Amino acid sequence: MGPAGRGPFTVYNASVSIGYTLDLFGGVRRGIEAQLALADYQRAQLDTTYLTLAANVVTASLQEASLREQLRATEQILDIQGKSLQIARQQQQIGSKSLSDTLAVRAQLAATQATVPPLRAQLAATQNQLATYLGTTPAQLELSPLTLDAISLPRDIPVSLPSGLVEQRPDIRAASAQLHAASAQVGVATAAMLPQITLSGSAGSQALRAGDLFSAGTGAWSLGLGLTQPLFHGGELLHKKRAAQAGLDKAVADWQQTVLVAFQNVADALQALQYDAEGLAAQAAAEDAAAQQLALVERQFQLGSSGYLNLLDAQRSYQQARIALIQARVARLADTAALYAALGGGWHGDAELASRKP
């Protein structure tokens, strides 16, 4: 008989089997679509992080420059008031002015000095915050001095914008990707409720001797068709479909809310820029008038034709006007950065918008 297990009627065979499930109802396709949409969502989330970080760095840098400018202005005013106090004491010694006048100048100087520590505290806190944004410690932070005079506003700030520009916002792209994924999940859940058709086949060779496996006439093949109908799931598939539909409804509502908030942000930024321009012009005029008034009163005071109260009022008005001008300039710069962020990175038209799309 031959070797053990090798009878005269032993059949030798070699074959390969293949199975393929037809995606008649798009379940596989919609599943792939959902995964691609989730990848788009993750990219949009990353872009949101970068945009938010950039906007925060710009805003903190502007605030840091503003506080340094305010400190510099306050120190200059302190120098002026210190000189005024020296003059007052000298005139008091020769009897041309009273002690009351000297005390008034000293009180004004002390009031101005009291504004310095809070400004320094705000400056230190802003620098620490900026260090955190830049991924370093406050002790390791090295900043190049930034002055407001070195910052220029864009020349083409718009007063109105096409609604299509808002589409480049990463939060809207993220909401759109979530909506796309939720829609695809409805398709997946629907396809799971429907029958699945599977094609199978095998091809190979069989012979009575191993040496004849691949000889002519030993070929064999078979084809099969299978139909699978989901049964006895106790309503599980139906409830999964309803859950997917509810997820789609939520994604639609989230997308609508995100778009509404985006338009609100843009409208707020545009209106703020318009009012900032008007406020900046008014503050510049006020600062110029206060500077001229202070110079006039100082000359009159030196000539003896003006009293301390007039000088103190002029100094206080100039201090307030100068600091208010610095704050107005920073407000406009910060609101310009806010408009950039509200539009997802700028307003330079359809060409830039198209280049940002994946």
Side-chain angles (χ1 to χ4, degrees), residues 131-283:
T132 302
Y133 289 148
L134 297 177
T136 185
T137 63
Q140 296 174 334
L141 181 64
E142 296 182 1
L143 290 176
S144 299
L146 176 66
T147 61
L148 297 181
D149 292 335
I151 304 174
S152 59
L153 289 170
R155 296 181 180 180
D156 57 345
I157 296 179
V159 294
S160 63
L161 291 164
S163 59
L165 284 177
V166 183
E167 294 178 4
Q168 68 185 345
R169 280 175 59 120
D171 58 343
I172 290 184
R173 289 191 283 115
S176 298
Q178 284 186 311
L179 178 59
H180 191 179
S183 174
Q185 289 297 342
V186 173
V188 172
T190 302
M193 300 178 64
L194 301 174
Q196 296 182 0
I197 298 177
T198 303
L199 295 179
S200 61
S202 64
S205 176
Q206 58 185 4
L208 296 177
R209 292 182 302 176
D212 295 335
L213 270 175
F214 300 103
S215 300
T218 61
W221 59 273
S222 66
L223 292 175
L225 176 66
L227 177 65
T228 303
Q229 173 68 41
L231 297 172
F232 308 116
H233 285 268
E236 176 188 356
L237 297 179
L238 176 60
H239 290 301
K240 284 184 176 180
K241 180 182 177 182
R242 290 176 178 173
Q245 184 63 52
L248 177 59
D249 293 340
K250 179 181 181 300
V252 171
D254 290 342
W255 180 86
Q256 292 175 337
Q257 180 65 21
T258 302
V259 171
L260 290 175
V261 171
F263 278 104
Q264 178 186 353
N265 293 157
V266 174
D268 289 345
L270 287 174
Q271 291 175 353
L273 282 176
Q274 179 181 354
Y275 297 138
D276 286 342
E278 297 174 359
L280 181 59
Q283 289 296 343

Side-chain angles (χ1 to χ4, degrees), residues 2 18 37 47 86 110 113 152 217 219 232 237 244 256 289 292-293:
I18 298 175
D47 290 344
Q86 291 178 355
Q113 288 173 335
S152 59
F232 308 116
L237 297 179
Q256 292 175 337
Q292 294 182 21
Q293 177 67 15

